[in-house]
Amino acid sequence: MSENRFVMRSILSIVVIGTLAFGWDTVQAQRGVYVVPEGTSANIRRAVESENRSDQHRERDYLRRPAEILTLLGIAEGDEVIEFASFGNYYTTMLAEAVGPSGFVYMIDMPWTEPFGGSGSRAFDATHDNATYTVGHFNRTELPDNVDAATMVLFYHDLQVQTGEQRVDPVDMNARIFEALRPGGRYLVIDHKAEDFAGWRDVEGMHRIDEATIIQEVTAAGFELVASSNILANPEDDHRIGMRDPSIRGRTDRAVLIFEKPER
C-alpha cells in the first residue's frame, strides 16, 4: 500500500471532530466573543478563563478555540507537558493553569526563535513553580521522560525553514518525542494547511505545509493518528497565499492533529 493511500485511509478511519461537537455559537464567533463550551472540564475552563492571561491572547480565542483544543488533547490536572516552540506563550499560561501545581510544563524553543519570545518565557519560568524554559535544538535537547503530552502549534512547517545548524530533522525529532511520552501519551500538531500533495514545498514563502506530510512523518515514528479535527477549518482559504497575507492572517485553514503513543 502506498504512503498516500495509507494516509488517506487513516484520515477516513479516525474520528473527525467537527465544529458543532462543542456547541460553537456562530453569532458569538462573528462578533469576536469566545465562550468556553458547556461540558468543558473544570481545569481547562479555569485555564482559559484565567485572569493571568493577557488581553492580547484573549482576543485570539474566538478564532483559536483553546478550550476545544485542550479538550481534544485531554489535558488533566497533574499532567506533564512539553510545549515545543513556546515563544509568544499563547498556550503556555493555559497549560500551566490546566495542569495545576501538581503538573509541569516544559517550554522549549529553538535558538533562532529566542529573540521573538525568550524574555517572556524566562519571566514566566521565574514566576511559575510548575514551568521551566529551555533554549535548545529540537534534535539535541534532552527531553524529560514519561510525559503525558507534547504540543507543537503553528511551528511544524518552520522545522525546515532555516539552514545549517538551525534546521531540524523532523524524523529524528518525532522519534525523540515518541520516546519522551508515556504509553498513551498524546502529541498535538496544529499548522497552516498547504495544498494537497505540496509536501514541504510552501514552508518558506507561505509558511504552510501539507497535512498528509505531517501525518506520514509522525506516524512513521510509531504514533497512531487518533483525531483529525476541522475545528480550525476555513473553507474560504484556498491555501495559495501566505499565512501573513492581510486577507487571511489569523484565519488560515489549519490542520489539528492528535497523535498517540500506543499502549502496547
Side-chain angles (χ1 to χ4, degrees), residues 14-56:
I14 60 174
V15 176
V16 179
I17 302 176
T19 54
L20 296 180
F22 292 92
W24 176 249
D25 187 324
T26 304
V27 174
Q28 289 174 325
Q30 291 172 345
R31 294 176 180 174
V33 177
Y34 178 72
V35 177
V36 175
E38 293 185 13
T40 298
S41 65
N43 68 310
I44 291 176
R45 177 178 293 277
R46 178 185 68 228
V48 177
E49 296 179 346
S50 171
E51 295 181 356
N52 294 322
R53 299 185 64 216
S54 69
D55 290 341
Q56 182 183 31

Side-chain angles (χ1 to χ4, degrees), residues 55-87:
D55 290 341
Q56 182 183 31
H57 286 168
R58 290 177 184 278
E59 289 170 0
R60 300 175 186 176
D61 288 352
Y62 77 100
L63 290 176
R64 299 189 69 170
R65 314 283 292 281
E68 292 90 327
I69 297 298
L70 293 176
T71 298
L72 279 175
L73 186 55
I75 293 296
E77 294 269 3
D79 277 357
E80 294 190 5
V81 184
I82 305 174
E83 184 187 20
F84 290 94
S86 63
F87 65 93

Side-chain angles (χ1 to χ4, degrees), residues 153-166:
V153 178
L154 304 181
F155 194 80
Y156 199 98
H157 70 271
D158 277 324
L159 298 174
Q160 295 278 291
V161 167
Q162 302 297 313
T163 59
E165 283 295 308
Q166 296 296 337

Side-chain angles (χ1 to χ4, degrees), residues 111-132:
W112 69 269
T113 68
E114 194 273 341
F116 306 141
S119 59
S121 294
R122 283 190 291 272
F124 193 90
D125 181 341
T127 56
H128 291 78
D129 293 335
N130 68 340
T132 188

Side-chain angles (χ1 to χ4, degrees), residues 21-253:
F22 292 92
W24 176 249
D25 187 324
T26 304
V27 174
Q28 289 174 325
Q30 291 172 345
R31 294 176 180 174
V33 177
Y34 178 72
V35 177
V36 175
E38 293 185 13
T40 298
S41 65
N43 68 310
I44 291 176
R45 177 178 293 277
R46 178 185 68 228
V48 177
E49 296 179 346
S50 171
E51 295 181 356
N52 294 322
R53 299 185 64 216
S54 69
D55 290 341
Q56 182 183 31
H57 286 168
R58 290 177 184 278
E59 289 170 0
R60 300 175 186 176
D61 288 352
Y62 77 100
L63 290 176
R64 299 189 69 170
R65 314 283 292 281
E68 292 90 327
I69 297 298
L70 293 176
T71 298
L72 279 175
L73 186 55
I75 293 296
E77 294 269 3
D79 277 357
E80 294 190 5
V81 184
I82 305 174
E83 184 187 20
F84 290 94
S86 63
F87 65 93
N89 304 128
Y90 175 79
Y91 270 104
T92 306
T93 302
M94 290 186 285
L95 286 170
E97 295 268 0
V99 302
S102 61
F104 206 85
V105 179
Y106 301 89
M107 300 176 281
I108 304 177
D109 279 347
M110 283 289 293
W112 69 269
T113 68
E114 194 273 341
F116 306 141
S119 59
S121 294
R122 283 190 291 272
F124 193 90
D125 181 341
T127 56
H128 291 78
D129 293 335
N130 68 340
T132 188
Y133 177 58
T134 300
V135 176
H137 199 289
F138 292 171
N139 291 138
R140 294 189 288 274
T141 299
E142 184 176 354
L143 301 179
D145 296 325
N146 210 40
V147 299
D148 300 283
T151 68
M152 183 168 294
V153 178
L154 304 181
F155 194 80
Y156 199 98
H157 70 271
D158 277 324
L159 298 174
Q160 295 278 291
V161 167
Q162 302 297 313
T163 59
E165 283 295 308
Q166 296 296 337
R167 201 174 184 90
V168 177
D169 176 0
V171 174
D172 172 78
M173 181 199 72
N174 289 324
R176 299 178 83 246
I177 295 172
F178 185 86
E179 290 302 316
L181 286 167
R182 64 168 174 79
R186 290 193 163 192
Y187 176 20
L188 164 70
V189 180
I190 299 176
D191 219 326
H192 311 284
K193 287 186 182 181
E195 292 182 298
D196 290 344
F197 309 109
W200 288 88
R201 182 193 68 196
D202 298 332
V203 298
E204 292 189 32
M206 295 194 286
H207 293 271
R208 294 176 179 268
I209 187 168
D210 179 14
E211 178 180 18
T213 295
I214 300 173
I215 295 171
Q216 289 170 352
E217 293 182 351
V218 177
T219 55
F223 285 98
E224 294 178 351
L225 178 63
V226 295
S228 175
S229 173
N230 65 0
I231 204 163
L232 300 182
N234 180 5
E236 296 180 0
D237 179 5
D238 66 5
H239 309 151
R240 297 178 181 177
I241 57 177
M243 49 77 68
R244 293 193 178 97
D245 189 284
S247 68
I248 201 67
R249 185 162 190 167
R251 299 182 296 105
T252 53
D253 187 24

